Amino acid sequence: MSAANKEYKRVTVKSLTEMKKHGEKIAMLTAYDYTMAKIVDGSGVDVILVGDSASNVMAGHETTLPLTLNQMIYHASSVIRAVNRALVVVDLPFGSYQGNSKSALDAAIRIMKESGGHAVKMEGGLEIKESIIRILSAGIPVMGHLGLTPQSIYKFGTYTVRAREEEEAEKLKGDAKLLEELGCFALVLEKIPAKLAAEVAADISIPVIGIGAGGQVDGQVLVTHDMLGMTHEFHPRFLRRYLDLYTEMTDAFNSYIKDVKNGDFPNEKEQY
Ligand code: KIV
């Protein structure tokens, strides 16, 4: 843990604002279960995202759309039981906030009450303004998410880089400003040109956390299973792999199978 990190006993939305002010980068990772969250929190990460990427990583769905509110609450409450320090942000799942601001508030309240999460994350800008206002008015901190927003995958048709064209870039900049004005405490920018992300981060006072958005932003987020190399079939340019756990785990499983088949496991010391 860095010296700067030790200043924040328990990371809050306020600490993140301070970090941006002091130029300290924010490190964010995903977790969906108790054991992983314990390790991630213990290593000193600032924010843990209970992302709806659980739909892909944990449940094996092709998109994030099928994940339900009850499933998000299950994942988030498992994470919360493990965490002592990080700020825990929970994704509002697809369908829980896009149509009706009252249902959006109900969903956010269920997440806060039933999981103990500290904040929610929502994908979109102007289109979901009413839901954001209503959730914020209940005292629930909101993190925005613009650029590649996987809950809209069927609108985009592909997971390619967003906002390369002027019109989409202008809309994104307007949405980022709007989210700041509404009172969101931070913003995730996913898979957009680094230059555009840098401009947005310089233009708004709330922390901008990038994934595939270059280094000139206020922090970074990765999906933990990707950066550990467990999801070896997924290799976008922005992903830095810190381990090759897919290979290491496969080797360990192979050794175990061999030991069981040979009768080498358990040995004399491994029994009662
Ligand atoms: O669900 C998720 O993991 C996310 C990150 C990719 C930002 O939204």
Side-chain angles (χ1 to χ4, degrees):
M1 200 182 296
S2 76
N5 269 338
K6 282 185 191 145
E7 282 176 32
Y8 305 107
K9 273 206 167 79
R10 174 118 227 172
V11 181
T12 65
V13 296
K14 278 231 154 56
S15 341
L16 300 187
T17 314
E18 288 299 306
M19 288 167 82
K20 172 153 183 159
K21 234 187 250 165
H22 296 129
E24 183 188 343
K25 298 270 190 184
I26 296 162
M28 171 159 138
L29 283 171
T30 59
Y32 321 109
D33 66 20
Y34 176 86
T35 304
M36 187 68 89
K38 193 105 192 144
I39 302 170
V40 172
D41 187 54
S43 54
V45 81
D46 303 303
V47 185
I48 293 181
L49 173 66
V50 185
D52 60 359
S53 50
S55 180
N56 315 104
V57 177
M58 303 303 283
H61 293 298
E62 204 174 305
T63 73
T64 57
L65 275 63
L67 209 70
T68 66
L69 184 58
N70 283 343
Q71 287 166 334
M72 282 309 294
I73 290 169
Y74 167 77
H75 287 298
S77 53
S78 307
V79 166
I80 280 288
R81 282 192 285 275
V83 170
N84 290 316
R85 179 181 173 278
L87 180 80
V88 178
V89 180
V90 184
D91 265 339
L92 276 177
F94 174 70
S96 68
Y97 62 94
Q98 284 90 350
N100 169 331
S101 65
K102 173 69 173 69
S103 318
L105 176 60
D106 290 345
I109 287 178
R110 279 201 61 203
I111 288 200
M112 302 299 281
K113 260 188 189 296
E114 296 176 38
S115 78
H118 308 140
V120 297
K121 177 163 80 59
M122 300 163 71
E123 297 183 6
L126 187 59
E127 323 72 44
I128 58 160
K129 179 178 164 189
E130 297 312 319
S131 294
I132 294 175
I133 291 173
R134 201 148 182 175
I135 291 171
L136 285 168
S137 74
I140 299 171
V142 174
M143 175 181 271
H145 183 156
L146 298 172
L148 175 63
T149 46
Q151 292 180 10
S152 306
I153 185 58
Y154 290 116
K155 182 173 102 184
F156 299 146
T158 138
Y159 286 102
T160 193
V161 179
R162 303 302 316 171
R164 280 197 195 277
E165 306 301 328
E166 173 95 24
E167 193 183 336
E168 195 179 339
E170 285 308 313
K171 158 121 175 67
L172 186 144
K173 285 195 248 180
D175 279 342
K177 205 73 197 147
L178 174 71
L179 295 179
E180 177 194 29
E181 282 162 10
L182 292 180
C184 291
F185 72 91
L187 170 63
V188 166
L189 289 181
E190 179 165 355
K191 227 171 169 187
I192 64 167
K195 189 165 166 287
L196 173 61
E199 259 179 66
V200 173
D203 192 41
I204 62 177
S205 59
I206 59 173
V208 172
I209 299 174
I211 173 163
Q216 299 303 110
V217 289
D218 308 302
Q220 298 292 326
V221 55
L222 284 176
V223 169
T224 297
H225 291 67
D226 294 339
M227 61 87 81
L228 293 177
M230 294 172 87
T231 50
H232 76 144
E233 69 284 1
F234 181 63
H235 34 74
R237 187 200 297 196
F238 67 76
L239 175 61
R240 184 177 294 180
R241 286 220 177 87
Y242 288 82
L243 281 176
D244 179 6
L245 268 194
Y246 184 92
T247 304
E248 293 207 30
M249 289 171 79
T250 304
D251 288 350
F253 298 144
N254 285 336
S255 300
Y256 167 75
I257 293 164
K258 192 165 106 296
D259 289 350
V260 170
K261 302 271 181 198
N262 290 345
D264 281 352
F265 176 77
N267 64 24
E268 286 295 316
K269 288 187 194 146
E270 291 163 333
Q271 53 191 286
Y272 301 98

